[in-house]
Structures are given as structure tokens and as C-alpha cells.
């Protein structure tokens, strides 16, 4: 199969009008923080048991078309010896892989960040493909401040995303381009809209410059919301602002937009996605690629105990179903 055929097949599976993506790619530090909320140590076995429970959840494949894994998970096996990427694939869920290597300060742009990991990316992708990965994710992070993001921050981060996406497509791996504008801060929704629009504009400019095929990638943006320390906005308002900014900056050639949840509560993230689809959505499919908003109730139900695996899976399935309905604009709070 040619690389273009592979890319087309993966996009068609991921963007099927019905399903979204589960982000289960927390890095070592992040998963340790999540486990700490249930008083659990982040050991290799605990991480494997948790992720095996998520991926083997019966019925998950009806609402979830892809799962983003961390490198370690790609090489792990469940208790019966089946590789975890295969556990996902056997449910019709495409395995994906987070390929960035974390972030640090961007020199010359105080307050801005930059993500690492381009060196050797082609070779790593070839290995990940052998382990079953068909798509990848790379996250750039933009804190909002009085002076941030700076012009340099916008250009440098967009350049990283575009270079990563071009390498992925050259290897036949679908890139998910994730520019995350952080919710931290007391800014209002107007400010969030201005920043998100600048970010998306700069990212698509760079994607064009690097010859990335827009039909064969996905965008994973933040929603346009007020800062976490400001008063929250209702779903209709979040939907209006987010759609307006996306329509101004994201070409219709992009097949799908899968939002991150970024600290929104599980029900909040569902209601916001639902409102966007009720307001007519866009030329793109609007779906989810949530981490916390899908996993939080499952993790709380699990508590690190084998006897709770079923309850954890039930919680995951419920959030996945609610978000599947939100994709179709058919979610109602009364279904919770
Ligand atoms: P959240 O939905 O928890 O923001 O995670 C999504 C993700 O993949 C962040 O990189």
C-alpha cells in the first residue's frame, strides 16, 4: 500500500461521522499526577493494568475510532499476552502515538513554550508503525499572558507543528496537529478568541509552507473559553466563539477537528461539543479527542483495584456515548 493510500484509509476510519478519539497518552509525569488523585503509585504494572482496562472496554469501538497511546503502552501486553495496540485494533479502534518529547521555555520569548522531539522522528515513526500505530500526535502549548503568546512564540510553535506533520505524512502516518492554548488565567472569552485565532492562522500558514496535505491530517485545538479563573461561559457562547474563530482560520479541506478538553469538566466538555454541532458545526467533522474529560470518572471508579475494572469501563463507556451523541448534536443533560 502506498503512503497516500495508508493515510487515506486511516483518515476514513478516524473521521467516520460517528466517533471520536480517546487520548490515553499521558507522559510519565502526567500519569503519576493522575494516579496520585486516587492515591496510586505510577508503576509499570499499574499503568499497564489501567490502560489495558480502558482499551478492553466492550463497546468502546462504537463511540471511539482512535486511541492515542504513550510510547510505553505501544510495547505493553495485557494479562493474556496480547499487545495493547492489538487489543484496541480488535475493537475497530486505530492505535495512535504521541511523538513529541515534552516542552520547555522558548529562548528569546519569555513566557512562551516550545516542544521537543523532531530529531530522529522518521526512524521513530517507522518503529511505531511496526508496533501498530497509524496516526500520531504532537502538542504545542501556548500560555495566555499580557505579552504571550509573542510573535516569535506563534511562529516558532507553528513551525514545529508543520515540520512534524510533514514528516508524519512522508512516513504514511496521519498527523494530529495539536496547538493547545492553555485555560490557565483570568482572561475573558474575547481574549481567548483573539489568541486562538492568531494561533490557528499561524499554524495553517506554516502547514501550507511545508506542503502538508490538509485532507490527510486532523486538528486538535482548544475550545474558545474564558480562563479557568474567570467566570465560565455557557455552552452556546463557547460554541459561537469557537465556531467563529475556526471558520475564520481553518480551511474546509481539513476533514476533522477533534477538540482537547484541557481542564473542562467531563459534562462541560460534552455540552460544549454538543452546542457546536447543534449550531451547524462546520465544513469539518467536529468531534472529541479528550483525555481527562473521558477518563476522570473511569479513574475515580477504578481506584487501582481489579474488582473495580467493570465499573471503570462502565464509566468510560458512558462518557464515550455521551460524546458520541454530542458529535451528532443529540446530547441532553437529562441523559446524564
Ligand atoms: P485533555 O483532554 O485532558 O486536555 O487531554 C488531551 C490531550 O491529549 C492533551 O495533549
Amino acid at each position: 500500500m502506498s503512503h497516500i493510500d495508508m493515510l487515506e484509509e486511516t483518515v476514513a476510519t478516524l473521521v467516520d461521522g460517528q466517533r471520536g478519539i480517546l487520548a490515553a497518552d499521558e507522559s510519565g509525569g502526567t500519569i503519576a499526577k493522575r494516579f496520585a488523585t486516587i492515591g496510586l503509585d505510577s508503576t509499570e504494572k499499574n499503568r499497564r493494568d489501567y490502560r489495558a482496562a480502558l482499551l478492553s472496554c466492550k463497546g468502546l469501538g462504537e463511540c471511539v475510532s482512535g486511541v492515542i497511546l504513550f510510547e510505553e503502552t505501544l510495547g505493553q501486553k495485557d494479562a493474556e499476552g496480547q499487545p495493547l495496540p492489538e487489543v484496541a485494533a480488535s475493537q475497530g479502534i486505530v492505535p495512535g502515538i504521541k511523538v513529541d518529547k515534552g516542552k520547555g521555555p522558548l529562548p528569546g520569548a519569555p513566557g512562551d513554550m516550545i516542544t521537543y522531539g523532531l530529531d530522529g522522528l522518521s526512524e521513530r515513526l517507522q518503529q511505531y508503525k511496526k508496533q501498530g500505530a497509524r496516526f500520531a500526535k504532537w502538542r504545542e502549548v501556548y500560555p495566555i499572558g499580557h505579552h504571550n503568546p509573542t510573535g516569535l512564540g506563534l511562529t516558532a510553535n507553528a513551525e514545529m507543528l508543520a515540520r512534524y506533520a510533514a514528516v508524519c505524512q512522508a512516513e504514511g502516518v496521519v498527523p494530529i496537529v495539536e496547538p493547545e492554548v492553555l485555560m490557565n488565567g483570568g482572561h475573558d472569552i474575547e481574549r481567548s478568541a483573539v489568541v486562538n485565532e492568531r494561533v490557528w492562522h499561524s499554524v495553517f500558514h506554516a502547514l501550507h509552507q511545508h506542503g502538508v496535505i490538509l485532507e490527510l491530517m486532523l486538528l486538535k485545538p482548544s475550545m474558545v473559553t474564558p480562563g479557568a479563573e474567570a467566570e465560565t461561559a455557557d455552552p452556546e457562547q463557547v460554541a459561537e466563539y469557537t465556531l467563529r474563530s475556526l471558520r475564520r482560520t481553518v480551511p474546509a479541506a481539513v476533514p476533522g477537528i477533534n477538540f482537547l478538553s484541557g481542564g473542562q469538566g467531563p459534562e462541560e466538555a460534552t455540552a460544549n461539543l454538543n452546542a457546536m454541532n447543534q449550531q451547524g458545526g462546520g465544513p469539518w467533522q467536529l468531534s472529541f479527542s479528550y483525555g481527562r474529560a473521558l477518563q476522570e470518572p473511569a479513574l475515580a471508579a477504578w481506584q487501582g483495584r481489579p474488582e473495580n475494572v467493570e465499573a471503570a469501563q462502565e464509566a468510560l463507556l458512558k462518557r464515550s456515548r455521551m460524546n458520541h451523541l454530542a458529535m451528532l448534536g443529540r446530547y441532553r443533560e437529562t441523559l446524564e
Side-chain angles (χ1 to χ4, degrees):
M1 210 196 269
S2 77
H3 279 167
I4 291 288
D5 289 345
M6 279 181 70
L7 293 166
E8 283 174 347
E9 186 180 290
T10 303
V11 166
T13 310
L14 290 175
V15 185
D16 67 354
Q18 296 293 321
R19 302 184 291 168
I21 293 172
L22 165 64
D25 60 330
E26 297 84 2
S27 61
T30 306
I31 195 70
K33 258 196 266 171
R34 304 278 185 268
F35 280 2
T37 64
I38 57 166
L40 191 69
D41 285 341
S42 179
T43 62
E44 199 263 344
K45 182 182 180 303
N46 286 343
R47 292 191 295 272
R48 186 200 63 189
D49 288 350
Y50 176 59
R51 283 155 172 166
L54 297 180
L55 298 176
S56 61
C57 170
K58 278 202 191 67
L60 189 66
E62 287 160 28
C63 307
V64 167
S65 58
V67 60
I68 314 172
L69 304 172
F70 189 57
E71 190 175 20
E72 174 189 70
T73 316
L74 213 52
Q76 283 175 324
K77 295 180 174 156
D78 69 9
E80 284 76 49
Q82 189 176 23
L84 292 186
E86 265 180 48
V87 174
S90 67
Q91 299 225 61
I93 300 172
V94 185
I97 171 82
K98 166 197 174 80
V99 297
D100 66 70
K101 292 192 168 235
K103 61 187 185 334
L106 174 63
D112 286 341
M113 316 290 293
I114 196 80
T115 293
Y116 315 121
L118 280 179
D119 285 354
L121 182 57
S122 292
E123 293 73 18
R124 283 166 58 214
L125 286 168
Q126 287 160 19
Q127 176 59 31
Y128 297 148
K129 265 201 304 189
K130 283 188 199 145
Q131 294 173 283
R134 292 291 171 268
F135 70 97
K137 180 195 104 169
W138 181 292
R139 171 173 176 255
E140 292 292 330
V141 178
Y142 303 79
I144 295 185
H146 285 303
H147 304 289
N148 300 95
T150 64
L152 174 61
L154 290 171
T155 311
N157 280 278
E159 191 68 13
M160 295 299 279
L161 284 168
R163 286 185 62 192
Y164 138 81
V167 174
C168 284
Q169 289 189 340
E171 295 298 339
V173 174
V174 171
I176 295 191
V177 171
E178 181 182 8
E180 175 170 4
V181 176
L182 294 180
M183 280 179 75
N184 306 27
H187 53 271
D188 61 15
I189 195 166
E190 288 287 348
R191 172 90 176 121
S192 169
V194 168
V195 171
N196 274 287
E197 242 171 87
R198 281 191 194 143
V199 166
W200 299 334
H201 180 92
S202 63
V203 167
F204 280 95
H205 178 65
L207 290 168
H208 278 291
Q209 286 183 315
H210 286 264
V212 173
I213 306 166
L214 300 185
E215 288 83 352
L216 299 176
M217 60 158 274
L218 298 179
L219 179 68
K220 175 166 175 166
S222 321
M223 292 183 199
V224 176
T225 65
E229 286 108 62
E231 211 175 300
T232 54
D234 60 34
E236 285 65 39
Q237 206 184 10
V238 170
E240 274 167 34
Y241 273 95
T242 307
L243 287 175
R244 187 183 73 177
S245 294
L246 287 172
R247 287 171 183 154
R248 287 175 175 174
T249 51
V250 181
V254 174
I257 296 178
N258 292 63
F259 293 97
L260 60 93
S261 61
Q264 293 180 40
E267 284 95 9
E268 186 186 1
T270 306
N272 287 340
L273 176 62
N274 188 59
M276 276 186 255
N277 283 306
Q278 283 195 338
Q279 287 179 19
W284 342 267
Q285 176 185 285
L286 291 178
S287 185
F288 56 92
S289 174
Y290 297 155
R292 283 162 286 180
L294 280 173
Q295 290 186 53
E296 260 169 19
L299 185 62
W302 180 51
Q303 294 291 320
R305 303 213 179 112
E307 64 271 26
N308 293 341
V309 163
E310 235 172 85
Q313 292 178 332
E314 232 169 79
L316 173 66
L317 198 55
K318 177 176 175 194
R319 289 272 40 95
S320 305
R321 288 197 169 129
M322 294 294 138
N323 285 301
H324 156 74
L325 289 174
M327 251 195 89
L328 305 173
R330 288 200 219 131
Y331 165 78
R332 301 283 172 281
E333 234 175 81
T334 49
L335 297 170
E336 292 286 354

